[in-house]
Amino acid sequence: MNKADLIVDRRGTQTTKWGQLENVFGDSDLIPLWIADMDFATAPEIKEVLHDYVEQNQYGYAPVRPEYYQAIIDWTRKHFDYDTEKDWYFYTPGVCTGIAYVLVALLNEGDKVLIQNPVYNPFRTVVEEANRTLVMQDLLGDDETGYTIDFEALEKAFKEDDIKALLFCSPQNPTGRVWTEAELKQVVALCKQYDVLLISDEIHRDFVWQGHHHIAIDKLAQDQDFDQVITLTAGSKTFNLAQFSHSLMIVRDPDLRAKIQAFYDKLHLNNPGSPAGYLALEAAYRHGEDWLETIKEIIYQNYQNLRKTLKEALPEVKIADLQATYLMWIDLGAYVPSKDLKHVVQDKARLAVNYGQTYWPTKANDTHIRINLGTDPALIEQAGKNLVQAIKDYQAEH
């Protein structure tokens, strides 16, 4: 597959990443490296199945094809050695929507839910908006030594603070960590020991790099005879299908499934969403592997090139090892204080990025930025040059 054919110019489109710069950043003339979707053309097999769907020219009620479930089951088995069953799957419009469903269906108002910062910021809002009590801990380590779970603090919270659920991110966004089998087993063991519901967001499971392998935590939980696990994932991140609002909840335990189904029934959530979303995801899992491998090559090369550019010009910049995701976690604190970060990155370098404080509210004056690597290499090259020059100019002024 030709890499050049996959890179598309989305300027002037109604996509959030490009079309909402003015609304979000107050400036439309920026290089958008923020929200996590990609600037690549859809896999041709997905385009073809959607074209056929439109051409049929009738859009009445339609059942979910059994082939859809089989495509997901086959992909999950092939790539993660994780055997799932059709009855384990629930449709949800998005991963965060699915988390909200779980919190409301399975926990009581006021129940404590623990998250580990820095982490995807809707983890906080979804807990708070569900009227559950948010408990935050920090990961240990840093960009240079690597981030790890503070298991001592985690067990202390489970033991003393009556935690009802752990909202876990695997692979980890924004640090890019891929948790090891030993780490995941320890998470499962603690959840089992203290009867904590384990909710695992695994939406980035298909973006794992060089010598690392994503392990489905529920696969390990089965081996440890623990069934209070719910996994959320999607093809939306992997295949750039976010517009279809189509994600997956995997629930192995029949009692948990019954409670979630009762919640779905109560709110009439049994309409399975748009058939186009089902068709797109089935085509992606059936035929999208070559496309995925091609765009992964582009993304990882973007990471290596940007890392090289920054490290050569700004050797004290700290960059987390990219083990997973297409999101680069960079600490500019050696050169720019927190109070001037937006001025340097946005006003001088002309970049639209996500800032570390979004993901790490417990760390005062954080100086990280998160850069989306899923784009044209030329934009990443320009972003690197802009950032280096902006920081050098800032240093000269100060």
Side-chain angles (χ1 to χ4, degrees):
M1 191 168 292
N2 190 328
K3 294 178 184 177
D5 292 340
L6 296 181
I7 297 168
V8 293
D9 187 347
R10 299 166 82 196
R11 292 178 178 87
T13 68
Q14 292 303 306
T15 54
T16 299
K17 183 179 178 185
W18 288 84
Q20 295 297 309
L21 286 171
E22 180 71 36
N23 290 342
V24 176
F25 294 91
D27 190 340
S28 61
D29 187 26
L30 302 172
I31 299 176
L33 303 172
W34 59 301
I35 193 168
D37 74 354
M38 300 183 289
D39 298 325
F40 302 125
T42 304
E45 295 85 356
I46 298 174
K47 181 180 178 180
E48 181 179 352
V49 77
L50 291 173
H51 181 270
D52 291 345
Y53 171 71
V54 171
E55 284 296 309
Q56 73 180 3
N57 201 31
Q58 61 84 20
Y59 312 108
Y61 294 111
V64 180
R65 291 156 42 94
E67 293 89 343
Y68 160 83
Y69 291 104
Q70 195 58 52
I72 301 169
I73 290 167
D74 291 345
W75 180 275
T76 304
R77 179 186 298 120
K78 177 179 179 180
H79 291 274
F80 311 109
D81 192 27
Y82 174 38
D83 288 318
T84 57
E85 300 176 12
K86 172 182 177 294
D87 290 344
W88 297 5
Y89 286 93
F90 288 81
Y91 160 80
T92 173
V95 163
C96 285
T97 308
I99 293 169
Y101 291 168
V102 170
L103 296 178
V104 175
L106 302 180
L107 301 184
N108 297 315
E109 289 199 10
D111 281 352
K112 294 180 180 178
V113 180
L114 190 146
I115 68 171
Q116 298 163 318
N117 293 322
V119 76
Y120 182 52
N121 52 298
F123 273 28
R124 298 196 308 275
T125 55
V126 73
V127 173
E128 293 168 340
E129 289 166 358
N131 292 322
R132 275 59 184 165
T133 302
L134 181 66
V135 178
M136 295 190 288
Q137 290 184 345
D138 285 352
L139 296 175
L140 295 177
D142 55 37
D143 306 299
E144 294 182 333
T145 63
Y147 292 91
T148 59
I149 297 167
D150 188 340
F151 283 108
E152 184 178 340
L154 185 62
E155 181 168 15
K156 186 175 187 293
F158 283 2
K159 186 176 183 179
E160 299 178 3
D161 295 340
D162 194 27
I163 303 296
K164 296 298 184 184
L166 170 64
L167 185 46
F168 190 62
C169 195
S170 177
Q172 217 279 339
N173 170 17
T175 69
R177 262 303 313 272
V178 174
W179 305 117
T180 65
E181 183 173 354
E183 288 171 316
L184 294 173
K185 283 182 174 179
Q186 195 166 352
V187 169
V188 170
L190 288 173
C191 287
K192 180 180 179 180
Q193 181 178 352
Y194 294 99
D195 192 25
V196 174
L197 177 68
L198 176 53
I199 308 166
S200 184
D201 171 2
E202 302 186 9
I203 196 171
H204 289 280
R205 65 182 185 170
D206 292 308
F207 290 100
V208 174
W209 312 106
Q210 295 201 346
H212 300 280
H213 179 68
H214 172 71
I215 302 171
I217 200 167
D218 188 48
K219 181 178 186 292
L220 299 180
Q222 291 180 66
D223 297 338
Q224 293 173 247
D225 195 28
F226 180 61
D227 55 14
Q228 299 300 292
V229 181
I230 293 176
T231 304
L232 293 119
T233 190
S236 57
K237 204 68 66 183
T238 306
F239 296 100
N240 220 37
L241 301 174
Q243 287 186 15
F244 290 103
S245 296
H246 194 106
S247 297
L248 305 167
M249 186 191 306
I250 307 172
V251 188
R252 175 169 48 88
D253 179 68
D255 291 336
L256 291 181
R257 288 203 302 272
K259 291 176 182 177
I260 291 171
Q261 186 61 58
F263 172 79
Y264 271 48
D265 292 343
K266 185 181 296 185
L267 295 184
H268 291 262
L269 290 170
N270 294 309
N271 185 327
S274 166
Y278 282 84
L279 292 169
L281 187 60
E282 180 188 334
Y285 282 149
R286 286 267 181 246
H287 308 294
E289 189 166 356
D290 288 346
W291 177 92
L292 177 60
E293 290 308 308
T294 303
I295 63 120
K296 285 174 72 173
E297 290 175 10
I298 298 171
I299 290 166
Y300 199 75
Q301 190 64 55
N302 282 346
Y303 166 70
Q304 291 178 311
N305 290 345
L306 184 54
R307 183 184 182 96
K308 182 173 183 287
T309 296
L310 295 180
K311 279 292 190 179
E312 286 182 351
L314 307 166
E316 293 182 58
V317 163
K318 297 177 182 177
I319 301 172
D321 180 33
L322 189 68
Q323 300 176 5
T325 81
Y326 54 84
L327 305 165
M328 192 168 175
W329 186 236
I330 304 169
D331 186 357
L332 301 176
Y335 298 97
V336 185
S338 177
K339 66 181 180 64
D340 293 332
L341 194 61
K342 182 178 177 182
H343 170 64
V344 172
V345 174
Q346 179 172 322
D347 299 337
K348 296 178 77 67
R350 312 302 297 155
L351 307 183
V353 304
N354 299 110
Y355 293 94
Q357 191 66 28
T358 303
Y359 311 100
W360 211 336
T362 51
K363 185 177 180 183
N365 302 318
D366 184 75
T367 48
H368 283 88
I369 60 172
R370 193 191 77 167
I371 284 183
N372 181 345
L373 298 163
T375 191
D376 186 339
L379 289 180
I380 292 296
E381 181 180 2
Q382 187 62 55
K385 290 178 179 177
N386 287 10
L387 192 56
V388 166
Q389 190 60 53
I391 291 174
K392 288 186 174 181
D393 289 347
Y394 175 82
Q395 291 281 293
E397 295 165 3
H398 293 78

